[in-house]
Amino acid sequence: MQTSMESEDTKKIQEMKTDLNLLLECLKYQMDNAFSQKEALVTIHSICQQNSNASLYFREIGGLMFVKNLAKSSEHSMVKEAALYTLGAVAEQNVYCQQTLCTSELFEDLTWFLSNNDSNTNLKRMSVYVILVLVSNNRTGQTLVRETGCISVLSQLFKTVLSKYELNLSDGNVFQSYQLWSSVCSTLCVCVNNPQNDENQMLCSSLFPHANDWLINCMKPEIIRPICSFIGLTLANNTYVQKYFISVGGLDVLSQVLVQLESDSHKTLSSAKLAVVVTKTVDACIADNPTFGVVLSKYHIVSKLLALLLHESLDSGEKFSIILTVGHCTEDCEENQYDLFKSNGLPLMIQVLTESQNEELNKAATFVLHNCKKITEKLSLSLGEYSFDENEEQLKDVHMKEKNLEDYWKKAKEILHRIEQLEREGNEERVQREKYKDYVSSMNINIQNTLKHLHADSSGGGPKAEDKDKSQSTKLQSYKSHEVMSKACTNDDQMKTLLKSANPVNACYRESGQNKTLCKANSSCNQNLREETTFEKKNFVSQSRNSADPT
């Protein structure tokens, strides 16, 4: 029976090879028949999409280079589009094909298509799709997209494709333009992330003012999700870019959007979900710079986050992102710590610790409690020593709540003490260590499979070994923060280390796509910049593919 199956597989492989050879011959001898060439290209695309070995064989018989040259030389736009569509699919399926196509020459051709006024929207979408595939999880591609000037053209498209803030997607032309713009966003995301590319991040940061304008003037999910993914990935783990974003008012804009969405969330579920997307982006901005939390205090973001946390529609992952952001907000900002108390945040964190069975939620709540330990004791011991410039009525209000504050903090300390006891127990410590080890291992696997949401790995577009190692190392480092968390109750320094290690961008985007290669640019420390971040690579790839389909 096994021999019969092997024989059947061999037969299918031979048929596949025969089909590809015949289709390649058709392309070569039908140069005057654009329709026949398009049909042949679409068929090649279909075959290669189903079988990575087909992509490899097509490259071996010279088909890949022929289609690349055809995309450049054909006088027919439909043939160019179909050729680019096929190149993208083949490169996405097989990393060797991706490497073969990753040349300065092709990037220059694609740049020409994008900057040529005679290129129609569909041809530009196909060009962006190919760039997306070539750059995704590929440091060489990230370098070439910059050195050939391609990233500059993409940046220009980001600013000019959508000309009006009134986004009427029911209009066919506007919808086509939006698809192109969204694909450009996805492609810029892979230019800066996975692996992280500091130089490309610097170039893309010039788009922050334009992104801010769109966030202020068009608060629609179709705009907010892609832009938040772009912002989050562009400033991820890059202190200089984070400071620039804040200097151009980016954090203020995100705060204003978050305040509005939280207000709207009481009426619509979608606003609550969208508010979490913005929250993750805010977290990405302040995680490495907790002192920037003072900007958020102007908008009472902590109280808004606590209100959002009570939204029944949110899942545990979304709640984790919110609490993690509260942790970063209160890490080095007394104003935000005080806002937490005034908004009854302390009993809420205690409730999470006592009622939730979710390990991540408990860790994040513990972060918050440790951040607020000193100021809580300060308020409890002596209001006279309190450092805020509060007016007399506010101080009286604090005094009236002092007894409740003491009770809450007493309960919090009891909980933290219990955690310390568990950590000191040998058997429990070994169990926890194994848990964290298994957790880190499984998350690393998920992360690898994941971007390629623009943001999981596929066999056809995976990163080179060196890039994978670096990416995995970075994520493992972030997850070490969870190990620290288990022992964080021991002292404040460990807790601060853990908070800084928690990467909201990766966290933000983990939920994104554990599927195909292209973008992971839609969520928690490494779990959370590619759920969203629509910017789930899975969504990006799917959208780019749909946009790219010339049929």
Side-chain angles (χ1 to χ4, degrees):
M1 184 175 179
Q2 184 176 359
T3 302
S4 176
M5 291 179 62
E6 291 176 352
S7 176
E8 184 66 23
D9 289 340
T10 301
K11 180 180 178 182
K12 288 182 179 180
I13 291 174
Q14 189 56 50
E15 289 176 349
M16 173 269 290
K17 291 182 177 180
T18 300
D19 290 343
L20 288 177
N21 277 293
L22 291 174
L23 289 165
L24 180 56
E25 290 301 308
C26 178
L27 286 178
K28 293 179 177 179
Y29 293 102
Q30 295 289 333
M31 298 299 289
D32 295 329
N33 191 330
F35 182 79
S36 294
Q37 285 191 315
K38 174 185 174 180
E39 290 299 307
L41 287 165
V42 171
T43 305
I44 292 171
H45 166 277
S46 178
I47 294 174
C48 293
Q49 195 66 44
Q50 299 173 25
N51 190 334
S52 177
N53 291 328
S55 297
L56 191 58
Y57 179 73
F58 191 62
R59 184 191 70 153
E60 291 174 356
I61 62 176
L64 198 59
M65 288 297 99
F66 183 84
V67 172
K68 179 179 80 75
N69 293 330
L70 184 62
K72 181 178 181 179
S73 62
S74 177
E75 298 178 355
H76 305 283
S77 181
M78 72 165 68
V79 175
K80 289 179 180 291
E81 295 163 22
L84 292 174
Y85 183 48
T86 302
L87 289 177
V90 172
E92 182 184 348
Q93 281 296 105
N94 190 282
V95 67
Y96 298 108
C97 294
Q98 181 196 44
Q99 293 171 350
T100 299
L101 291 172
C102 201
T103 64
S104 296
E105 179 187 3
L106 182 54
F107 274 100
E108 289 168 357
D109 291 340
L110 295 170
T111 301
W112 166 251
F113 292 147
L114 291 177
S115 57
N116 188 352
N117 292 331
D118 293 332
S119 297
N120 61 40
T121 301
N122 204 42
L123 179 57
K124 290 181 178 180
R125 278 159 46 196
M126 296 309 104
S127 300
V128 172
Y129 172 57
V130 176
I131 296 170
L132 177 63
V133 174
L134 296 182
V135 175
S136 184
N137 286 0
N138 185 356
R139 188 175 298 280
T140 299
Q142 290 180 332
T143 300
L144 289 175
V145 79
R146 180 179 66 252
E147 292 180 346
T148 58
C150 187
I151 197 171
S152 298
V153 175
L154 289 171
S155 298
Q156 187 64 22
L157 288 173
F158 179 85
K159 293 188 290 186
T160 61
V161 170
L162 296 180
S163 58
K164 296 181 179 179
Y165 295 128
E166 297 80 20
L167 197 64
N168 180 16
L169 295 181
S170 62
D171 182 302
N173 292 329
V174 173
F175 182 68
Q176 273 203 333
S177 294
Y178 172 76
Q179 284 188 310
L180 173 58
W181 176 83
S182 182
S183 295
V184 168
C185 284
S186 302
T187 304
L188 289 173
C189 286
V190 297
C191 288
V192 300
N193 180 264
N194 200 20
Q196 179 181 338
N197 191 299
D198 293 349
E199 292 178 87
N200 289 352
Q201 285 180 316
M202 290 286 290
L203 289 174
C204 288
S205 67
S206 66
L207 298 174
F208 284 160
H210 184 77
N212 289 342
D213 290 341
W214 269 100
L215 287 175
I216 292 174
N217 292 287
C218 188
M219 289 182 55
K220 294 185 177 182
E222 295 85 358
I223 293 296
I224 291 179
R225 288 180 182 275
I227 286 185
C228 280
S229 291
F230 167 72
I231 291 173
L233 291 171
T234 300
L235 56 72
N237 304 314
N238 191 319
T239 303
Y240 182 87
V241 175
Q242 291 166 0
K243 289 180 179 178
Y244 174 70
F245 179 69
I246 293 174
S247 73
V248 297
L251 197 52
D252 289 278
V253 170
L254 287 176
S255 297
Q256 294 166 22
V257 173
L258 182 55
V259 169
Q260 183 61 54
L261 289 173
E262 190 282 321
S263 177
D264 295 343
S265 70
H266 301 291
K267 304 174 185 177
T268 61
L269 168 63
S270 59
S271 293
K273 298 290 187 179
L274 203 56
V276 176
V277 174
V278 177
T279 297
K280 293 172 182 179
T281 308
V282 168
D283 200 18
C285 190
I286 67 171
D288 299 322
N289 297 283
T291 55
F292 291 152
V294 68
V295 176
L296 304 175
S297 66
K298 297 185 299 182
Y299 303 93
H300 301 289
I301 291 300
V302 169
S303 64
K304 301 300 180 183
L305 291 175
L306 293 175
L308 184 63
L309 186 61
L310 298 176
H311 207 288
E312 296 180 356
S313 67
L314 302 182
D315 60 34
S316 59
E318 291 166 326
K319 290 181 179 180
F320 169 74
S321 296
I322 293 171
I323 298 177
L324 180 63
T325 305
V326 171
H328 286 134
C329 286
T330 56
E331 181 179 4
D332 197 24
C333 180
E334 287 192 342
E335 289 89 341
N336 286 332
Q337 294 170 359
Y338 185 48
D339 198 14
L340 179 80
F341 296 133
K342 289 194 297 183
S343 304
N344 291 319
L346 187 57
L348 186 57
M349 293 302 108
I350 294 173
Q351 182 180 351
V352 171
L353 278 173
T354 56
E355 298 181 3
S356 174
Q357 301 299 313
N358 185 289
E359 187 177 15
E360 286 189 335
L361 284 178
N362 291 340
K363 290 174 182 178
T366 305
F367 285 160
V368 177
L369 289 176
H370 270 275
N371 287 342
C372 300
K373 180 178 180 180
K374 290 183 180 179
I375 193 172
T376 304
E377 293 174 341
K378 182 187 294 185
L379 285 171
S380 299
L381 293 174
S382 175
L383 289 176
E385 298 177 5
Y386 191 57
S387 63
F388 287 118
D389 294 329
E390 300 289 342
N391 59 44
E392 187 175 348
E393 290 185 3
Q394 288 175 312
L395 288 176
K396 287 181 179 179
D397 181 59
V398 174
H399 186 68
M400 293 176 64
K401 296 180 179 179
E402 181 179 357
K403 183 62 171 64
N404 287 338
L405 184 63
E406 290 176 349
D407 292 341
Y408 288 141
W409 186 242
K410 181 179 179 181
K411 186 178 297 184
K413 286 193 288 189
E414 291 175 355
I415 293 173
L416 296 179
H417 180 65
R418 287 205 300 270
I419 296 175
E420 290 177 2
Q421 286 182 318
L422 290 175
E423 289 300 327
R424 284 196 294 267
E425 294 177 7
N427 291 335
E428 182 68 13
E429 187 171 312
R430 281 194 294 272
V431 170
Q432 289 298 324
R433 202 177 289 128
E434 287 302 315
K435 266 189 186 176
Y436 290 133
K437 183 177 179 181
D438 294 340
Y439 182 67
V440 171
S441 176
S442 65
M443 281 312 305
N444 281 331
I445 293 174
N446 279 339
I447 290 167
Q448 282 189 27
N449 291 337
T450 293
L451 213 77
K452 270 297 10 257
H453 301 144
L454 224 357
H455 295 307
D457 254 346
S458 77
S459 61
K464 296 180 180 178
E466 58 181 321
D467 293 335
K468 278 187 177 178
D469 291 341
K470 181 173 181 181
S471 175
Q472 186 171 348
S473 173
T474 300
K475 298 178 188 303
L476 182 58
Q477 183 179 12
S478 290
Y479 261 95
K480 287 181 180 178
S481 66
H482 293 296
E483 277 188 88
V484 177
M485 170 70 101
S486 68
K487 299 181 181 179
C489 303
T490 306
N491 61 60
D492 294 338
D493 290 337
Q494 286 179 312
M495 177 56 63
K496 288 184 177 181
T497 299
L498 181 149
L499 284 170
K500 291 179 180 178
S501 299
N503 185 335
V505 169
N506 290 335
C508 241
Y509 301 104
R510 172 202 74 165
E511 300 171 15
S512 70
Q514 300 178 358
N515 297 321
K516 279 267 175 211
T517 293
L518 295 179
C519 204
K520 196 172 180 183
N522 167 16
S523 16
S524 130
C525 296
N526 280 315
Q527 304 175 23
N528 283 354
L529 248 223
R530 280 159 240 313
E531 165 188 337
E532 313 301 341
T533 164
T534 287
F535 286 149
E536 303 177 9
K537 181 169 191 180
K538 176 181 178 181
N539 290 345
F540 279 152
V541 173
S542 175
Q543 178 191 37
S544 296
R545 225 186 242 142
N546 292 337
S547 299
D549 191 345
T551 61

